[in-house]
Amino acid sequence: MSRDIKNFNNGIDVDSVADRIAAGDNDALAQFFSDAAGAEFLVPFKGSPNNLAVLNSPEGEKMLPAFSSYEAFEKCPLEKKNAVIMPFSRLDKIVGESRGAIDGLVINPHGKALVCKKQPGGASPTYQKNEGPQSFRLSKPASVPEAIPAVLSGFFAGTGKVYKAYLLWAQKNAEIVPHLFLVVDFDGKPEELFPKIGEVLRPYFGEGDRVEMAKADLKLLEAAEKVTKPFYKK
């Protein structure tokens, strides 16, 4: 049974977020993604719900439109009866699995829009050199698939070299969307452990998904502890 889209409102004040970002509030977008992760959005379609509408940006990028409320959707010229309510996680997955056909999401495109572009990345998790906590804005993930901490904990216990591990969201200044950040306190070299972690995580990630990994130093451990507790501890 279809839901009543005319009364839809996910409660996220996108206009306020856009105003805060314009005013230079660096925490506004991270808070939006934290709220959006567990929220639903109104998404227009053409003909059938399996054929979602796509907008062309002025730069020629193809963006999936999503609306925080029916009021925001009313500003859209598309047919108002052709819309479906979808969780943000599903929209993010559609973009990731589009293999470049969709470049990202645009929230409330006919108002104070928020543009969420897909970050570069392959189907498998990647790791980079630890740049230190000063390079990131760290936050607690709104949600992480339950299988990931469990399978990582089992793997870490088997290595005997890992002392602690944290899962966070990290967002660099050039990024619109935060990415998953795995901080591991262990003995050894990253190039020896991280490819193995990537293989362990591979079944849980799709096209476009990204996990960055870093070996913990004292500053990174202190930064992680301020945000969350380790999901694994020896």
Side-chain angles (χ1 to χ4, degrees):
M1 183 177 179
S2 61
R3 295 166 62 181
D4 180 12
I5 64 173
K6 290 186 177 181
N7 291 319
F8 176 78
N9 189 323
N10 66 14
I12 298 177
D13 189 346
V14 175
D15 285 359
S16 176
V17 175
D19 288 340
R20 288 173 58 194
I21 292 171
D25 185 344
N26 292 330
D27 295 327
L29 200 56
Q31 182 60 53
F32 167 76
F33 282 109
S34 178
D35 294 338
E40 295 177 314
F41 287 81
L42 197 59
V43 186
F45 60 82
K46 295 182 177 181
S48 77
N50 294 323
N51 184 25
L52 299 181
V54 176
L55 301 180
N56 292 314
S57 74
E59 294 78 21
E61 296 171 316
K62 296 188 180 299
M63 308 295 289
L64 200 65
F67 298 86
S68 60
S69 67
Y70 186 78
E71 182 181 2
F73 180 45
E74 284 187 305
K75 300 175 183 178
C76 176
L78 295 174
E79 177 61 53
K80 296 301 175 290
K81 67 179 181 180
N82 290 345
V84 63
I85 297 171
M86 300 180 68
F88 185 84
S89 58
R90 175 59 181 157
L91 294 173
D92 186 51
K93 187 174 183 180
I94 289 172
V95 173
E97 293 179 347
S98 71
R99 299 184 181 276
I102 302 174
D103 296 296
L105 303 173
V106 55
I107 310 297
N108 293 358
H110 304 285
K112 295 181 180 180
L114 292 179
V115 178
C116 315
K117 292 183 181 179
K118 176 183 173 184
Q119 296 300 315
S124 60
T126 60
Y127 71 91
Q128 300 178 8
K129 182 180 179 181
N130 179 9
E131 299 178 62
Q134 68 278 5
S135 302
F136 305 103
R137 292 192 296 275
L138 299 178
S139 59
K140 185 177 181 179
S143 62
V144 175
E146 292 182 6
I148 291 178
V151 73
L152 284 176
S153 293
F155 172 72
F156 292 153
T159 67
K161 298 180 179 180
V162 177
Y163 301 105
K164 292 181 182 179
Y166 303 78
L167 280 169
L168 309 104
W169 268 350
Q171 189 173 9
K172 298 180 182 179
N173 291 334
E175 290 181 323
I176 293 178
V177 181
H179 60 273
L180 200 60
F181 188 37
L182 175 63
V183 177
V184 189
D185 182 17
F186 69 102
D187 290 332
K189 298 179 181 180
E191 56 267 30
E192 295 173 349
L193 180 64
F194 287 173
K196 296 177 182 178
I197 295 175
E199 289 302 314
V200 170
L201 291 177
R202 189 182 301 275
Y204 304 95
F205 288 84
E207 180 69 27
D209 289 339
R210 179 187 173 200
V211 177
E212 187 170 358
M213 307 181 204
K215 182 175 182 178
D217 56 22
L218 182 58
K219 289 185 177 180
L220 193 49
L221 282 174
E222 290 176 348
E225 282 286 349
K226 291 179 180 179
V227 175
T228 188
K229 296 299 180 185
F231 69 88
Y232 173 80
K233 190 172 183 179
K234 187 175 180 181

Coordinates of all heavy atoms in Angstrom, one line a residue, residues 90 97-98 104 188:
R90 N 19.2 4.0 0.9 CA 18.9 3.4 -0.4 C 19.3 4.4 -1.6 O 19.9 3.9 -2.6 CB 17.4 3.1 -0.5 CG 16.9 2.6 -1.9 CD 17.6 1.4 -2.3 NE 17.2 0.9 -3.6 CZ 17.9 0.1 -4.4 NH1 19.1 -0.3 -4.0 NH2 17.4 -0.3 -5.5
E97 N 25.9 2.4 -7.0 CA 25.8 1.3 -7.9 C 25.5 1.8 -9.3 O 25.4 0.9 -10.2 CB 24.7 0.3 -7.4 CG 25.1 -0.4 -6.1 CD 24.0 -1.3 -5.6 OE1 22.9 -1.2 -6.2 OE2 24.3 -2.1 -4.7
S98 N 25.5 3.0 -9.6 CA 25.1 3.5 -10.9 C 26.3 3.4 -11.9 O 26.1 3.7 -13.1 CB 24.6 5.0 -10.9 OG 25.7 5.9 -10.6
G104 N 25.5 12.1 -8.2 CA 25.3 12.4 -6.8 C 23.8 12.7 -6.5 O 22.9 12.5 -7.4
G188 N 53.0 -3.2 13.7 CA 53.3 -3.6 12.3 C 53.2 -2.5 11.3 O 53.0 -1.3 11.7

